[in-house]
Amino acid sequence: MLRKASPYLFALPAVLVFAFTILVPIVMTFAFSFYDWNGYGEMRFIGLDNYDRALHDRIYLSSYTHIFIYIAATVVLEVLVGLGLAGLITMGRKGSSLFRVALFTPVMLPMIVVSFLWRFVYNSDFGLINTVLRAVGLDSWTQVWLGNPDTALLAICFVSGWVYAGFYMTIFYSGIQRISKDVYESAYLDGAHEGHIFFRIKVPMIRGLVKTGIMLCVLTGFQSFDLFYVMTNGGPYNSTEIVPTYLVKVVFSHMSTGYGSALAVILTLVIAALGLLANKLGRKGDALEY
């Protein structure tokens, strides 16, 4: 009897930790979403009012627009740029090792440090970008990059691309390195040049990694709280407000734990739906490939 139960006994500590840190907070958050509660006072049951309020909350709805724009931009700036960089360094040019190290270095920096660094770069008075523009006589191009609703979101997207392009480059580089050299030799014998080899051999043979990179970009786009919080905190005029930053403001600044819980539940459902859709599309793609 003890022998049959031993696997479950070994798994019990992990199950208890998972239940305490994941399952219990999820259940409690779902329960709080039906109450009008400030986090410490009396709880008043209001049913689905918090969810109805969320569906009419202009800032909350626009935060999803901002995050999907951010995801679309980072798919290009991170995944596609990373793929292009991986193609360049696999050509075996001199100095490619130093190039790889330089591009991967931003990934190792804490995002808080990166955010503060780029706040100085974007500074309208003494920032690097405006200083260079003034030095080359393009004063009219200078901007208050993080203070202009038209440029703030794109500025943040660029920072994310600067950080994570090297991460995806490393993933794609490792995949390309596993391709047999015989494939390249056959292509060269047929008269293929580097462009043909990249687009018709390297990219198709690592398409699984590319799809995984896109899925990671989509699903982790909802976790970019630190970058947005430090650089703009949702400003200016809520033009860079995303769901996590708005949720934190609702709970800790507006002291509306019940409403914040409802927003968290909706966000969880959206991420779960995207995860299921990505998994389904990935399986469908694999089936078509084979």
Side-chain angles (χ1 to χ4, degrees):
M1 184 70 178
L2 183 60
R3 182 177 297 177
K4 291 182 179 180
S6 59
Y8 301 100
L9 293 176
F10 280 116
L12 184 60
V15 172
L16 291 176
V17 171
F18 178 77
F20 182 74
T21 58
I22 304 295
L23 295 181
V24 172
I26 288 176
V27 173
M28 292 179 66
T29 300
F30 181 70
F32 293 157
S33 68
F34 298 104
Y35 289 86
D36 179 15
W37 186 42
N38 60 10
Y40 59 88
E42 182 182 356
M43 300 175 66
R44 183 170 64 90
F45 182 79
I46 57 174
L48 297 174
D49 286 1
N50 283 328
Y51 292 96
D52 181 68
R53 176 182 172 186
L55 295 177
H56 297 85
D57 189 333
R58 181 186 59 81
I59 298 176
Y60 180 63
L61 295 178
S62 65
S63 68
Y64 278 98
T65 302
H66 300 153
I67 207 166
F68 282 118
I69 292 173
Y70 170 75
I71 290 171
T74 53
V75 166
V76 175
L77 296 172
E78 295 175 14
V79 179
L80 297 186
V81 171
L83 182 61
L85 293 173
L88 287 175
I89 63 177
T90 51
M91 292 180 184
R93 305 297 184 189
K94 186 177 180 180
S96 61
S97 297
L98 180 62
F99 189 58
R100 288 202 309 271
V101 172
L103 289 172
F104 190 75
T105 299
V107 182
M108 299 183 288
L109 297 175
M111 191 55 75
I112 300 297
V113 174
V114 170
S115 302
F116 276 109
L117 170 66
W118 277 91
R119 281 184 62 179
F120 283 106
V121 172
Y122 284 130
N123 187 279
S124 59
D125 297 321
F126 53 81
L128 178 63
I129 296 177
N130 282 353
T131 300
V132 170
L133 290 174
R134 294 188 187 102
V136 297
L138 298 175
D139 296 57
S140 60
W141 287 24
T142 59
Q143 296 281 339
V144 184
W145 299 99
L146 297 178
N148 185 343
D150 296 328
T151 60
L153 183 58
L154 293 178
I156 294 175
C157 293
F158 181 82
V159 175
S160 184
W162 179 80
V163 174
Y164 289 109
F167 170 75
Y168 289 103
M169 175 202 70
T170 303
I171 293 176
F172 300 143
Y173 172 77
S174 64
I176 292 173
Q177 288 295 95
R178 295 200 302 267
I179 300 174
S180 173
K181 303 299 182 184
D182 296 337
V183 178
Y184 300 144
E185 291 176 3
S186 299
Y188 287 131
L189 289 174
D190 289 337
H193 54 71
E194 290 293 343
H196 287 145
I197 291 174
F198 177 72
F199 287 106
R200 298 191 179 184
I201 295 177
K202 293 179 180 179
V203 173
M205 294 190 75
I206 63 166
R207 57 185 176 272
L209 286 177
V210 175
K211 288 193 299 184
T212 301
I214 293 173
M215 291 179 191
L216 279 174
C217 226
V218 172
L219 297 178
T220 57
F222 288 91
Q223 302 174 14
S224 303
F225 169 80
D226 44 6
L227 181 62
F228 281 82
Y229 182 78
V230 175
M231 292 196 71
T232 60
N233 194 21
Y237 309 111
N238 302 311
S239 61
T240 61
E241 196 77 82
I242 59 173
V243 182
T245 57
Y246 185 59
L247 199 156
V248 168
K249 289 178 183 177
V250 167
V251 175
F252 296 102
S253 298
H254 304 162
M255 302 302 292
S256 184
T257 303
Y259 182 48
S261 297
L263 301 184
V265 170
I266 296 173
L267 176 61
T268 303
L269 294 175
V270 170
I271 294 175
L274 288 174
L276 291 173
L277 178 61
N279 184 54
K280 184 177 180 180
L281 292 176
R283 289 183 176 180
K284 183 178 180 181
D286 292 339
L288 292 175
E289 289 169 12
Y290 295 106

Coordinates of all heavy atoms in Angstrom, one line a residue, residues 9 23 56 76 109 135 163 181 202 206 251 261 269 283:
L9 N 3.1 10.7 -2.6 CA 3.7 11.4 -1.4 C 4.9 12.2 -1.8 O 5.0 13.3 -1.3 CB 4.1 10.3 -0.4 CG 3.0 9.5 0.3 CD1 3.6 8.4 1.2 CD2 2.1 10.4 1.1
L23 N -3.3 28.2 -7.3 CA -4.7 27.9 -7.4 C -5.5 28.7 -6.4 O -6.6 29.3 -6.7 CB -4.9 26.4 -7.1 CG -4.4 25.4 -8.1 CD1 -4.7 24.0 -7.7 CD2 -4.9 25.7 -9.5
H56 N -17.2 48.9 -20.2 CA -17.4 50.2 -20.6 C -16.3 51.2 -20.1 O -16.5 52.4 -20.2 CB -18.8 50.7 -20.0 CG -20.0 50.0 -20.5 ND1 -20.4 48.8 -19.9 CD2 -20.8 50.2 -21.5 CE1 -21.5 48.3 -20.6 NE2 -21.7 49.2 -21.5
V76 N 8.0 42.1 -35.2 CA 8.9 42.5 -36.2 C 10.2 42.9 -35.7 O 11.3 42.4 -36.2 CB 8.3 43.8 -36.9 CG1 9.3 44.3 -37.9 CG2 7.0 43.4 -37.6
L109 N 20.8 42.4 -19.1 CA 20.6 43.6 -18.2 C 19.2 43.5 -17.6 O 18.2 43.1 -18.3 CB 20.7 44.9 -19.0 CG 22.1 45.2 -19.6 CD1 22.0 46.4 -20.5 CD2 23.1 45.3 -18.5
A135 N 23.0 68.0 -33.6 CA 24.4 68.1 -34.1 C 24.4 68.0 -35.6 O 25.3 68.6 -36.2 CB 25.2 67.0 -33.5
V163 N 16.3 45.1 -26.8 CA 16.7 44.1 -25.8 C 16.6 42.7 -26.3 O 17.5 41.9 -26.2 CB 15.8 44.3 -24.5 CG1 16.1 43.2 -23.5 CG2 16.0 45.6 -23.9
K181 N 25.9 20.6 -43.0 CA 26.7 21.3 -44.0 C 26.5 20.7 -45.4 O 26.7 21.5 -46.4 CB 28.2 21.2 -43.6 CG 28.5 21.7 -42.2 CD 28.1 23.2 -42.0 CE 28.5 23.7 -40.6 NZ 28.0 25.1 -40.4
K202 N 17.7 27.9 -44.8 CA 17.8 28.2 -43.3 C 16.4 28.4 -42.7 O 16.0 27.8 -41.7 CB 18.7 29.3 -43.1 CG 20.2 29.0 -43.4 CD 21.0 30.2 -43.2 CE 22.5 29.9 -43.6 NZ 23.4 31.1 -43.4
I206 N 14.1 25.9 -40.0 CA 13.9 26.3 -38.6 C 12.5 26.9 -38.3 O 12.3 27.7 -37.4 CB 15.0 27.2 -38.0 CG1 15.0 28.6 -38.8 CG2 16.4 26.6 -38.1 CD1 15.8 29.7 -38.1
V251 N -5.9 48.8 -8.4 CA -5.9 48.1 -7.1 C -5.1 49.0 -6.1 O -5.6 49.2 -4.9 CB -5.2 46.8 -7.2 CG1 -5.0 46.1 -5.9 CG2 -6.0 45.9 -8.1
S261 N -9.8 42.9 -9.4 CA -9.9 41.4 -9.5 C -10.6 41.0 -10.8 O -10.2 40.0 -11.4 CB -10.6 40.8 -8.3 OG -9.8 41.1 -7.1
L269 N -8.4 35.2 -18.7 CA -9.1 34.5 -19.8 C -8.6 34.8 -21.2 O -8.5 33.9 -22.0 CB -10.6 34.8 -19.7 CG -11.3 34.4 -18.4 CD1 -12.8 34.9 -18.3 CD2 -11.3 32.8 -18.3
R283 N -0.2 23.2 -33.8 CA -0.4 21.8 -34.2 C -0.8 21.7 -35.6 O -0.4 20.8 -36.4 CB -1.4 21.2 -33.3 CG -0.9 21.0 -31.9 CD -2.0 20.3 -31.0 NE -1.5 20.0 -29.7 CZ -2.2 19.4 -28.8 NH1 -3.5 19.0 -29.0 NH2 -1.7 19.1 -27.6

